[in-house]
Structure formats: C-alpha cells, structure tokens
Amino acid sequence: MTIGPGSFCADHDHDDSAWWQSAVGYQIYPASFADSNGDGIGDIPGIISKLDHLADLGIGFIWLSPVYASPMVDNGYDISDYRAINPIFGTMDDMDRLIAEARARKIGIVMDLVVNHTSDQHPWFRAARADRHSPYRDYYIWRDQPPVKGSAADIEASFGGPAWSRDAESGDWYFHLFAPQQPDLNWTNPALRAEIQAMMNWWLDKGVAGFRMDVIDLIGKQPEAGIVADGPELHRYLQEMHEATLAGRNAVTVGEAWSATPENAPLYSAPQRREVSMVFQFGHVTQFWDDKLGKWKPKPIDWPQLKATFATWQAALHDKGWNSLFWGNHDLPRAVSRYGDEGEHRVASAKALATILHLMEGTPYIYQGEEIGMTNAEFSRIDQYRDVETLNFHRIQLTEGVDEWAFLAGARANSRDNARTPMQWSAESHAGFTNGNPWISVNANYPALNVEQDRADHDGVFQRYRRLIALRKEHAVIRHGDFRLFLPDHPALVVYERSLGTDTLLVIANMSRETIDLPQSDIPAVQGSDIMTGRQVSTHPGARLEAYEAFAIWL
C-alpha cells in the first residue's frame, strides 16, 4: 500500500488497509468541547488539552465537526473558506498541532467535509452572484424565476421554507437545501468537482486521517426533476472523488446518507466499488419520528422495532460493505435521554446502550459526553435555544397553529441543541468548560454529572466504554463475526450472538426499568464470567436481570 506524504497511518495488528474496523470514532463538536481562552466558545487548543482523556478512552480517531472559516449561520456547516480556520477556533498552526499531537497518541483526525453547499460568503458564491458570466456562476444552481407552485422543482428546504431564494444582487434565484445562507453546489460541473478534490488532497497531505462527508447523498441532486437525494450521478461522483483523492491513501471516509437503505448501502461501501469506507444511515432514528411533524413529535422507542432495524442492517452489510454504529451525534438527542433512562437508572442504561452498540459489527462512534452518560438540555424557553433549525421550525409551526408548549416538548426531546450544550468536565463553574460565559447554557445537572466524577467510579460509564473499545481491538469475532438475534419480539430484552470460527459471544441487555427473568427460549444456557466486569452471570431460563443490566459471555 502507498501511504501519502502526510497520511495518517494507524498502528494495529491487523490489515492496516481497514484499520478503522477495529477503531472507535469520537465526534467532537468544537464550540462545545473545551474553551482555552475564556471567550465561552470551545476551540482547537482546548481540544488539544483534552487529548489524553481521549487516548485513555482508547479511541482510534476523532471526527472533528467543522472548524473552517465560516459566518456560523449553521454553526460551521456554512463554510466560507475550506483552507482556513475560523479564528474563534484558533489558527492553522493550532490545527497542525492538533493533527500532530493526536497522531502522537495514535489518534487520527477526520475532518468534516461539507461539500453539498458552501456559505453565501464563500468567494465562489460572491463571484457567482456578482457576474452572470463568471466561471463560478456554474458552481451553483440558478434559475431566473421561482418554480411554479406544485411543480417538481418546488422543493422545501430542510430547515423550513422554500429551497429557492432570490439573490438581491443578481435578481436570479438560487437553490439551497438548508438555510438561504447555504447555497448548494452544482456537482454537474467538473471544474467544481476538481476544486473539491484538490482541497481534499490538500488536507490529506497535511496528515488528516480521512473525512466524514456531510449529507453526501445529496450531491447528485437534480432540482428541476424534483430529485434531492440519491440522484442518478451520485455514485459516479463518489467513485471519481475516491480515485482523485483517496486511492492509495490509508484514509477512512464515512458518508452521511439519510436516504441510505439496506438495499442501496452496499453501493457506497462495498470495497470493489471504491466510494467510501462506510455510511451513516438513520433508519433507527427516523422510524420513531411522527409521520407529519417529524422529529418535533417523537414516538416512544419500540424495542422490537429497533432490534429488527439493527438486525436488518447487520445482515445487509455483513461481507458486503461496512456498518457505522451510533446512538447520537451533533444533530440528535442524547442517547441516554432518547433510548435509556436519564433518571434513577442513568448510569446503568448508559452502560447497557454502550454494550448493545459496541458489540455489533461495524465502526462505533461516540459523541462527546456519551462516554459519561450526558443527558438532554431540558431547556424550557425558546430563547435558550441557538440552533437555526429549532428556531425556524418554532416560527413555522406556531404559524401553523401548533401549541407553544407542544413544540417545546418536542424540542426538549429532539432539538439539535440537546447535543450541543458544553462538555461537562467537572463540578466547577460552567462544568469546567470555560472561564467565561458559555455560548449556550451548560446543562444544570453538571455538578453531579461530569468527567471527573464518572472517571472516579470504577464501575462508571467511562470505564464501560473503555473496556468495550479494548475488546473490539482484541477480538476478531466482535469486528467480523456473524450476527444472530434472539427474542426479536420481546419488549425489553436485547439478546444477540456473534460468532466467528470457534469463538461465540452472547450479549444480553434488559432495556427497561423493571427486573426481568430470562424466559424459556433458544438462548444458549450457560454460566460464566461477564467479559466486561468479570462477575458471574447466567443465561439459564429464570436467570434474573436487574433494570438496565447488560453483560456479554463467551459460549
């Protein structure tokens, strides 16, 4: 294998070409991770100061949400210069130091690649709106009139409102699937694609370990035909990108693909297709959204449905591609709040969720704070929110007659700001995140829920994640074993088996607040040691599981 001049090279005892299959990713949302200068906003030097925490956890790479130059309309996902660092986060020297300091700890830095759209302050768009004859005009998608209501091109933006906005400077209309300040790029233009590929190579040569590709399933859009996701040219663009940037490099890529299905996901990640290493798919998330109001009116978690979804995806990509495994990210609610119990059983449910996820096949991702069981924000007023999506939909839904209290209940459950409250490092002021005033309020529960306290607990959440990460590195059966689900219809028990050669691992979790006795079933009946804690456990019928108890045992 050829390693690029600055490429990240993992140090693992298996095939280096797929080093991410034994690694665990950790997402950092920079504004909320650690503030080094007291301005209330997390920054790159703050991240560097916490690398030892992540190295001790055992992660293999950091997915770094955008730190590029940006007006911050969408918290950095509106990029105005792909080759510059936003001063609020630091300097390019800071970024180079982060790459080097992480590498010294055998941690790669995975950049967030946002190339479906740019900021309207990007030089490309500024040139495009200033001159219809500019070569940059065709970097974006234009029309001289808004689409006719009800036509194929009459598309709604993801943040609400129409996806076409009039540019006051040129008088024409441009397409944006997100905020009006985030104009979509025109991927049919080969010059645009070449610019993006050159930028990717520039970052890879600096030594980053790869890219997380934001809403990458949208780059093949054909708005005039009403096609937004999974367009007919999508996979050709991704294959071209791979050949121009990733081929011959030891880099990991994960594509965010809300449209991915068990049927089309192998098109992205099958090794012979040479597109991306894996995709983020969201079937386990969207299946519990309301049919009309979406995530703003979430449905209760139904464990038989959730288990079926996991089993489907385990089968769909086994030997055909590669899974990504995650409960949360910067757009989703906290895992414990959504899938577990943020009250009396917070610690136990956080450990159970970690166990279920990390012992499946795929690359697990931890969202910052998940390793200590952080919870949703519990904001009670709209003025506490900062997220552009939440604020837009608050305005839209109240106009449509939705009750303020009902909307806030949905926001408390699913607003993106639930994941964006500052990392809780200690019981000190502002959770040790900053010496200044944080850009968004710290969760009020930080005095009792923070890194210092959880790490001091030898049976805490951090220690469970640490053990699970180590087990993935040690055992091929966790990385590549077959998956078999037991008790698919049980409302609370999650039971599955992983097998590879002579190794078989049985995983059992009680995802309820009640004590449950194992029923008569085809679960193998054994007694032995839980591989995570060493305590004696039994899988015989009648064996009792406490609320949110989870263990794994060799058969």
Side-chain angles (χ1 to χ4, degrees):
M1 170 187 293
T2 299
I3 303 297
S7 295
F8 173 76
C9 185
D11 181 16
H12 295 282
D13 59 3
H14 67 292
D15 181 5
D16 258 353
S17 65
W19 58 266
W20 54 86
Q21 294 184 355
S22 65
V24 171
Y26 184 99
Q27 185 190 357
I28 288 180
Y29 194 73
S32 299
F33 192 64
D35 172 25
S36 71
N37 61 7
D39 67 356
I41 301 170
D43 48 43
I44 296 170
I47 296 170
I48 295 171
S49 74
K50 302 298 185 181
L51 284 175
D52 286 342
H53 166 77
L54 301 179
D56 193 33
L57 185 60
I59 64 161
F61 61 95
I62 293 167
W63 155 23
L64 185 65
S65 285
V67 291
Y68 312 97
S70 168
M72 300 295 284
V73 170
D74 188 22
N75 284 15
Y77 285 85
D78 50 318
I79 297 169
S80 56
D81 188 341
Y82 290 103
R83 302 193 194 198
I85 299 297
N86 191 327
I88 68 171
F89 295 131
T91 66
M92 190 59 74
D93 285 344
D94 293 328
M95 188 68 214
D96 290 338
R97 189 160 62 95
L98 173 61
I99 293 169
E101 292 283 353
R103 182 198 297 266
R105 294 164 174 83
K106 298 180 181 178
I107 297 172
I109 299 296
V110 171
M111 298 296 284
D112 213 325
L113 187 72
V114 188
V115 291
N116 174 72
H117 50 267
T118 68
S119 164
D120 62 354
Q121 298 305 304
H122 195 288
W124 297 344
F125 191 73
R126 295 174 72 175
R129 73 195 323 178
D131 181 2
R132 286 189 176 91
H133 303 290
S134 166
Y136 295 106
R137 182 77 171 183
D138 198 36
Y139 278 29
Y140 298 89
I141 301 168
W142 299 87
R143 58 171 20 246
D144 57 9
Q145 296 291 331
V148 174
K149 291 291 184 184
S151 67
D154 184 25
I155 295 167
E156 183 176 340
S158 295
F159 290 167
W164 295 93
S165 286
R166 185 176 183 273
D167 173 42
E169 192 167 336
S170 68
D172 292 330
W173 298 73
Y174 65 91
F175 187 72
H176 58 88
L177 278 170
F178 296 92
Q181 299 91 336
Q182 294 170 288
D184 274 41
L185 290 165
N186 176 19
W187 273 73
T188 66
N189 184 346
L192 177 276
R193 300 200 302 272
E195 289 254 27
I196 290 170
Q197 293 157 10
M199 174 268 294
M200 292 173 65
N201 279 321
W202 186 82
W203 278 107
L204 288 165
D205 288 344
K206 287 179 79 67
V208 301
F211 299 99
R212 177 264 185 184
M213 300 178 178
D214 186 64
V215 293
I216 203 65
D217 57 335
L218 305 184
I219 64 172
K221 70 182 76 63
Q222 295 183 356
E224 295 299 337
I227 297 172
V228 172
D230 205 21
E233 298 297 319
L234 168 64
H235 294 286
R236 179 172 72 86
Y237 296 155
L238 290 175
Q239 289 167 11
E240 178 189 83
M241 175 193 288
H242 185 281
E243 290 305 311
T245 63
L246 300 163
R249 296 186 188 261
N250 198 17
V252 61
T253 50
V254 54
E256 181 190 28
W258 287 80
S259 66
T261 65
E263 292 72 34
N264 70 20
L267 296 177
Y268 292 90
S269 61
Q272 66 272 19
R273 290 185 60 86
R274 299 173 66 81
E275 294 187 10
V276 296
S277 308
M278 68 196 90
V279 293
F280 283 136
Q281 50 75 24
F282 297 87
H284 64 295
V285 174
T286 58
Q287 71 183 119
F288 300 116
W289 288 2
D290 183 74
D291 294 338
K292 179 181 179 183
L293 296 177
K295 72 178 188 178
W296 306 108
K297 189 179 179 183
K299 302 174 183 177
I301 298 300
D302 181 290
W303 278 98
Q305 289 184 40
L306 188 55
K307 289 186 288 185
T309 298
F310 280 138
T312 296
W313 277 96
Q314 289 286 292
L317 290 175
H318 182 61
D319 291 335
K320 305 181 192 74
W322 192 249
N323 264 299
S324 61
L325 307 169
F326 66 98
W327 289 118
N329 63 27
H330 65 292
D331 287 334
L332 299 175
R334 290 286 179 179
V336 167
S337 298
R338 185 67 178 114
Y339 301 97
D341 181 348
E342 59 185 10
E344 176 187 357
H345 303 293
R346 180 187 63 81
V347 171
S349 68
K351 293 192 293 184
L353 289 168
T355 302
I356 291 168
L357 194 79
H358 282 246
L359 295 178
M360 288 193 286
E361 183 179 30
T363 297
Y365 289 78
I366 301 167
Y367 181 71
Q368 63 184 48
E370 186 180 319
E371 78 273 26
I372 60 168
M374 280 180 61
T375 62
N376 277 1
E378 290 299 316
F379 291 157
S380 58
R381 307 185 315 275
I382 194 63
D383 63 1
Q384 293 174 286
Y385 289 93
R386 300 292 179 267
D387 173 40
V388 61
E389 180 190 49
T390 302
L391 298 176
N392 280 353
F393 273 95
H394 175 259
R395 173 179 51 80
I396 291 167
Q397 292 199 8
L398 262 61
T399 300
E400 294 175 350
V402 173
D403 179 74
E404 171 90 2
W405 180 90
F407 179 86
L408 288 174
R412 280 193 294 275
N414 265 335
S415 169
R416 301 192 303 178
D417 278 342
N418 283 307
R420 300 177 183 185
T421 58
M423 183 73 176
Q424 295 165 210
W425 294 105
S426 70
E428 296 177 2
S429 177
H430 302 309
F433 162 72
T434 181
N435 292 325
N437 293 315
W439 72 276
I440 189 171
S441 297
V442 177
N443 194 311
N445 64 9
Y446 77 86
L449 199 175
N450 58 69
V451 170
E452 284 188 0
Q453 292 201 20
D454 188 82
R455 290 198 59 163
D457 181 356
H458 295 299
D459 195 29
V461 184
F462 180 89
Q463 295 302 333
R464 175 60 57 91
Y465 274 93
R466 191 169 184 261
R467 179 62 177 148
L468 288 164
I469 291 170
L471 287 167
R472 174 168 295 274
K473 296 174 183 176
E474 294 168 9
H475 299 290
V477 66
I478 296 174
R479 299 191 298 271
H480 299 297
D482 293 338
F483 177 94
R484 179 188 178 191
L485 182 69
F486 295 94
L487 301 179
D489 298 321
H490 195 285
L493 291 178
V494 179
V495 185
Y496 64 84
E497 179 185 274
R498 303 293 311 285
S499 59
L500 182 68
T502 59
D503 291 336
T504 302
L505 183 67
L506 183 66
V507 181
I508 299 182
N510 170 15
M511 295 308 299
S512 78
R513 297 181 177 92
E514 309 300 326
T515 298
I516 294 178
D517 293 341
L518 284 178
Q520 290 284 348
S521 70
D522 56 350
I523 297 173
V526 296
Q527 286 183 290
S529 298
D530 173 18
I531 65 171
M532 293 170 291
T533 65
R535 67 186 178 87
Q536 290 297 298
V537 293
S538 171
T539 67
H540 287 271
R544 179 152 296 180
L545 276 78
E546 300 300 326
Y548 293 102
E549 180 180 354
F551 62 83
I553 186 172
W554 295 112
L555 298 182

